[in-house]
Every structure is written in C-alpha cells, then in structure tokens.
Amino acid sequence: MSARGKSTRRSRPKSEPASERSLRFGRREWLVCAGLALGIAAIYAPVATHGFVNWDDPEYVTNNPMVRRGITLVGLWWASTTTHAANWHPVTWLSHMVDVQIFGLQAGWHHIVSVLLHITSSVLLFGWLRRTTGAFGRSAVVAALFAVHPTHVESVAWVAERKDTLSTVFLMVSLWTYTEYVRRPSRWRYLAVFVSVALGLMAKPMLVTLPFVLLLVDVWPLRRFSFSQQEGGKWLPPWRLVTEKLPLLALSVASAVATFVAQSRGGAVARLDAYPFGLRAVNALISYVAYIGQAFWPARLAVVYPPRAVPAVWTVAAAFATLVLITALVIRSATRRPYALVGWLWYLGTLVPVIGLVQVGSQPMADRYTYVPLIGLFIIVVWGAHDLFAGRVAWRSVPAVGAAIAISACAVLARAQVGYWRDDLTLWTHALAVTGPNSRAHNNLANALSDRHDVADAIAHYREAVKIKPDFGEAHSNLANSLAGQGMVDEAEREYEAALRYRPTDPFAHNGLGSLLDEQGKLAEAISHYEAALRTAPDMADVHNNLAVALTKQGRLDDAISEFLQAIRANPSGASFHYNLGVTLIQRGDSAQARKHLEAALELNPGFDAARQALGALASKR
C-alpha cells in the first residue's frame, strides 16, 4: 500500500474562505471568552460594594418614582412615552425597572448587572471578529482592549450610564445578526437585524450611526464591496448596499428626531447664540484628537471636564492637520489594508452624535462617549501591528509582547479608575484634583457634602462653583437652599433670584424660592412660584405638596386636596403626602377618606407618629 493510501483524513482546502473557517469555535475560543469574563470581573469587583452617585443616578433610579416602583403597567407606559432626563430610551428605563423589581435599591446589584452587560459585549465583539476575519489572536486583543480600557470605566461603573452598556450589547447583536443575514439572506434574518437595531436605539440614541457601521463592515471584514475589482469574492455595487440599509436608516432618523425633541424640551440642547457653530466645530476637531490621546495615554480621567477656553489658532490647525493626515493615509492604503479605513471611519462616524456639533450640555468631551468609537482605533492598531511585523521573523513576537503590555497596563489603570467611583466624595474630589477649576465638580461635591450635613464646606464649594461660572443657575439654586437652611434668608433669596435670572424656568429654583416666601407668610408670591415650577415640571410631587400646603393656609381646601392627590399620583410612596391630605380631609369633614390616607401614611412609614396620633384622634371622635 502506498503512503498516499494510508491517509484517510480529509485535509482542509487552502482556498477555504476565512468566514467559513472562523465559524468553528473550539476550546481556545471559549478560553478567551472565559478570560475576558474573569478579567472584567476582577477589574470591576469593587463596584459590588459601591453606592449610587449624586449625578444622574437620582434622576434615573433613586429619586425616580416610576423606576422605584419596579415593573408596573403605568411604568411601562411611562417608559415608552416619557422624555424624562431629556432622552427617549424606553429600553433603558425598562432595564432600571427590572433591576429595582429584582434587587430593590441595593446599588451593588445594579452595578453588577452593568458589569455583566460589559462582559457580554466584550465576548460578542471577540466572537464576531473571530468569526468574520478568521484571526484568533488579533480578535482576542481588540476585545481585551475594549474590555479593560480605563476610559470605559465611566460607562460600566456608573449606574445612570446603563444606556451605554445596554445599547452596546444590542450593537454587538446587530453585528452578529447582520453577518448571518449576509451569509444567508432572508426576510427573517433581516427582521432580526431590524429588531436588534431598533432595541439598540431605544436603549441609547447614540446608535443612530449603526446603519453607517453596517456599511463599513460590508467593506471589511465582510468584503461585500472592494476597492479593487481584481480581488476575488462576491462583491456588490455601493447603491445595493445603501438601499439595503434604508429601513435601518429610517429607524435612525426617527430616533434622532425623537432625541432632538426630547433634549430641546429638557433644555439640554444649547442655543446657537450661546455656542456658535464655529466654536462647536473647533471643539469637535480638538476632541477627536484628544480622544485619540486618551486611547493611547488614559491618564487624568474625570467624570466631567470643564469647558475649554477658546484655543489658539495653531492648536486648531494642528488638530485639523492631524485628522487630515490620518484620513489621507488610510484612504491611500484602503486597497491593501481596508481595515484601516473602516476602523478610522468607525471612530470618526460613531463619535458624530456626541462630538459637539449639536451641543448637549456644556461638557467639551466625556470618557463615556468613546465606549464604542475606540473599537475602530483598536482594530487599526492591532491589525496594523500584525501587518507591520508578521513578515519579519526577528520581530514576529513584537505584536504579542506589545499587546500583553498594553492590556496589562490598561487593566491596572482601569482598576484604579473603578476606585474613584466608590462614592460621591471620592468621585468629585478626584475630578477636582485632575481637572483644576471645575464648576460642575464643585457643585456636585457640595451636594455630597450637604447630604452628609457638612453644610459649611458645601456652601464654600457652591460659592466656588458660581465664582468660576457666574451663570451656573443650578449652583445658585443649591447655594440658596443651603443658605436658607442656615437661616440666611436674605442672601438665599438673592441666590434664588440669580438662579432664575440665568434659568427662568428652573422648577427647583421656583420651588425653593416659593418655600422661602411661604415661610415668610407671602403666600400669594409663593403660590405663583409653585405654579411656575409645575408649568415646567408637572410631575414634581414635592411641588404639588408645597402648593397644596400653601393653598390650605389660604383656606382653599378643595384646591389643596386636588394638589395633594396630584402629589400622590406622581409619587404614591410619599407618606407625608398621604398624611397632609388626611389632615386636610379632616378639616373638610371627610373622616372616612381621611382615615384611608392616614392609614396609608402609616403603612408607608410605620414610625410616622403624627399620622398615628391623627388616627387616634379620629378614633376618639367616633
């Protein structure tokens, strides 16, 4: 028998496409998935003992009456229709409601869910790259950099940024479902893509660029379009690829319109006269380059960065030249290295919604904005390093060694960054330490100090905040609250007026000034401010309650009862609202209804002695 006859094992043809080879997941692929999961768990383990922070977490969870109820029919309707927090993202609201339903307000579990979502995205990213490129090591390195990069800590360790981790899971699912659709087109597979894109947009509207991302992956790694017709494989004309994405583009347009309306109503979109387009464009140029710098040197990261001063002309020119040079290089190499062009356009394109051309808030940049965009840069660096050194035997180990060093360094820095999210004081103290004069950091540190009854230090930081930014209405309002609590009524009133001068519709300032006037017996003026607050924020339970109390003092019991009911409707768990309504009903002679609400107050707060005494007084009259 010849040597050829002894062999019965079928060898794999060398021409087998990478996409087919990479469909096969073996032990080493699953080991990488396990390694990603364990590495992320080790870095983010401290968040299990972290609490909520005082920036957006109250608005999203701890002080949000709809979310605090868990899953309810009313809550589901609210989540699907509300523009609360200047956004429309019903899937994110639902996620928070599910957490509260299962875990209550135990912050550690909310954090753990975000970490699990980050693990899921990292594993899906690795699997998708491995599947579509056939490159095991490079896919693992890109996923590892995504998993451990320090700039991603903000998205994972901040409960209110659940929208980042959740929407990115749907982005990864979209890449997978789209790849399946490309391999074997069918209506059902396209429907899976459509649904996953829609869910991603309903988790965070930043994914409006997802149809654009799918066009990019048509070029690489799916290779449905080639810059060189000499390449083998089946490729489609550009118009076919674009037409295929039109239903997804319609989703993005609808999401963008809904988001713009929500943010405009919420006052989050800055006016053009406040931030001229020229300044926005300059900020965008500098931010694009600054984010690249953070990708390679992630130092002095902070939860919020102060607004930039107007940059020097040479700084703008250097940023513009850097972006033009990189763009020219990746275009020139598009035929031989399509991953470079795709990675660069991924980075530029996915940052467009948050780069500042439409200015939302006053922050020039934020770490969380790079959660998805940096994937593009990671692809360029990792695949580029492989191409640079793979053909040189003496240097072949350089990419692996460099990757190990980079991943290890990022993991160490990320673990340290996680520690800054331990609590409010640590978070904002660190922000001030690494950013210098920062009005938002002073204001939020003051809030944390005030919550801990360190009023003197809180007032000092509020004063510093308005000194740095005199038109900071929120800080003026917070300073006024602290001054009023210290009995400094005249100065508090001036600060409330300053807050309303810069933010005329601020419901918190109107409510605070109304309470101050109420205590001085100026009921008509107080009621006017309460009503102004409710015109802007009709669901603020505390304002309805304060208005009702003022109306009771005027003897307008029916109007007061109506406002108490509004307060309870907005926040059914407010024991004091039920108590106040019960007392008012007693004054009107409706003992049966009064007893019902006093009992509700006691059920919500068993230690509510005033409610117990009022019930006792009612019982003695029977």
Side-chain angles (χ1 to χ4, degrees), residues 38-118:
L38 291 173
I40 292 171
I43 290 169
Y44 287 95
V47 302
T49 60
H50 288 186
F52 296 104
V53 296
N54 63 4
W55 198 26
D56 284 359
D57 282 359
E59 192 168 16
Y60 276 80
V61 182
T62 56
N63 290 347
N64 189 313
M66 287 296 182
V67 173
R68 286 171 62 99
R69 298 179 197 177
I71 300 294
T72 64
L73 289 177
V74 174
L76 293 175
W77 175 254
W78 176 86
S80 63
T81 58
T82 187
T83 56
H84 184 70
N87 267 306
W88 184 74
H89 41 40
V91 172
T92 292
W93 289 124
L94 180 60
S95 169
H96 289 302
M97 290 173 180
V98 170
D99 280 3
V100 173
Q101 183 72 35
I102 299 174
F103 308 118
L105 293 177
Q106 300 179 59
W109 286 106
H110 292 249
H111 287 296
I112 289 171
V113 170
S114 293
V115 173
L116 291 174
L117 290 171
H118 183 54

Side-chain angles (χ1 to χ4, degrees), residues 353-369:
V354 290
I355 202 61
L357 295 175
V358 177
Q359 184 69 34
V360 178
S362 60
Q363 71 275 18
M365 56 189 294
D367 297 350
R368 60 188 178 277
Y369 293 162

Side-chain angles (χ1 to χ4, degrees), residues 411-535:
V412 171
L413 292 172
R415 179 60 183 256
Q417 194 68 22
V418 168
Y420 299 130
W421 286 87
R422 180 171 59 251
D423 54 49
D424 301 319
L425 289 177
T426 305
L427 182 67
W428 297 109
T429 300
H430 171 72
L432 284 174
V434 299
T435 65
N438 188 327
S439 59
R440 169 57 65 183
H442 277 293
N443 178 77
N444 286 27
L445 177 56
N447 289 341
L449 291 166
S450 180
D451 289 341
R452 290 160 176 78
H453 307 292
D454 189 349
V455 181
D457 283 345
I459 288 174
H461 281 284
Y462 286 134
R463 291 191 192 281
E464 192 63 28
V466 298
K467 179 182 177 182
I468 295 169
K469 184 176 171 57
D471 62 347
F472 194 175
E474 180 186 336
H476 282 289
S477 181
N478 290 335
L479 174 57
N481 289 337
S482 294
L483 293 170
Q486 295 298 102
M488 303 165 71
V489 175
D490 292 340
E491 190 177 357
E493 189 168 343
R494 287 196 297 272
E495 290 298 330
Y496 280 128
E497 290 170 350
L500 292 172
R501 184 162 58 251
Y502 297 118
R503 297 176 64 183
T505 61
D506 183 355
F508 297 99
H510 276 296
N511 183 48
L513 182 54
S515 298
L516 199 66
L517 295 167
D518 193 340
E519 292 172 2
Q520 297 175 48
K522 301 176 181 179
L523 294 180
E525 294 177 64
I527 289 171
S528 175
H529 282 286
Y530 292 142
E531 290 173 342
L534 291 173
R535 282 194 292 272

Side-chain angles (χ1 to χ4, degrees), residues 138-322:
R138 283 163 281 173
S139 301
V141 173
V142 169
L145 289 171
F146 172 80
V148 306
H149 202 275
T151 60
H152 294 168
V153 170
E154 181 171 296
S155 296
V156 183
W158 185 8
V159 170
E161 275 307 302
R162 170 66 57 78
K163 49 186 177 284
D164 265 0
T165 53
L166 184 61
S167 64
T168 303
V169 168
F170 288 118
L171 182 149
M172 297 302 167
V173 171
S174 298
L175 291 174
W176 275 82
T177 55
Y178 183 69
T179 301
E180 283 299 301
Y181 165 76
V182 169
R183 288 183 62 248
R184 291 180 293 173
S186 74
R187 291 181 180 179
W188 290 108
R189 288 188 176 86
Y190 192 89
L191 179 62
V193 179
F194 188 88
V195 170
S196 56
V197 170
L199 290 173
L201 288 168
M202 290 191 288
K204 186 174 184 180
M206 185 177 169
L207 292 193
V208 291
T209 57
L210 189 44
F212 167 74
V213 169
L214 297 181
L215 276 173
L216 291 179
V217 302
D218 280 335
V219 176
W220 184 92
L222 298 183
R223 296 186 181 274
R224 302 180 75 200
F225 173 80
S226 172
F227 295 102
S228 172
Q229 295 188 20
Q230 296 177 353
E231 284 192 23
K234 182 179 179 181
W235 61 275
L236 298 175
W239 67 267
R240 283 276 304 277
L241 299 175
V242 172
T243 302
E244 185 182 62
K245 312 298 186 299
L246 290 180
L248 307 179
L249 182 61
L251 283 176
S252 291
V253 170
S255 176
V257 170
T259 300
F260 185 80
V261 170
Q263 293 184 337
S264 297
R265 288 178 178 175
V269 179
R271 302 187 317 273
L272 194 59
D273 58 347
Y275 290 95
F277 186 78
L279 287 179
R280 300 178 190 213
V282 166
N283 179 70
L285 286 174
I286 294 174
S287 293
Y288 269 124
V289 176
Y291 285 135
I292 296 173
Q294 282 188 337
F296 290 94
W297 192 258
R300 302 182 70 80
L301 303 178
V303 61
V304 66
Y305 300 96
R308 294 190 180 101
V310 177
V313 173
W314 71 266
T315 303
V316 179
F320 179 75
T322 299

Side-chain angles (χ1 to χ4, degrees), residues 561-579:
I561 288 170
S562 175
E563 291 298 327
F564 281 132
L565 289 172
Q566 292 266 42
I568 292 169
R569 192 172 297 116
N571 183 10
S573 60
S576 61
F577 306 156
H578 285 282
Y579 169 75

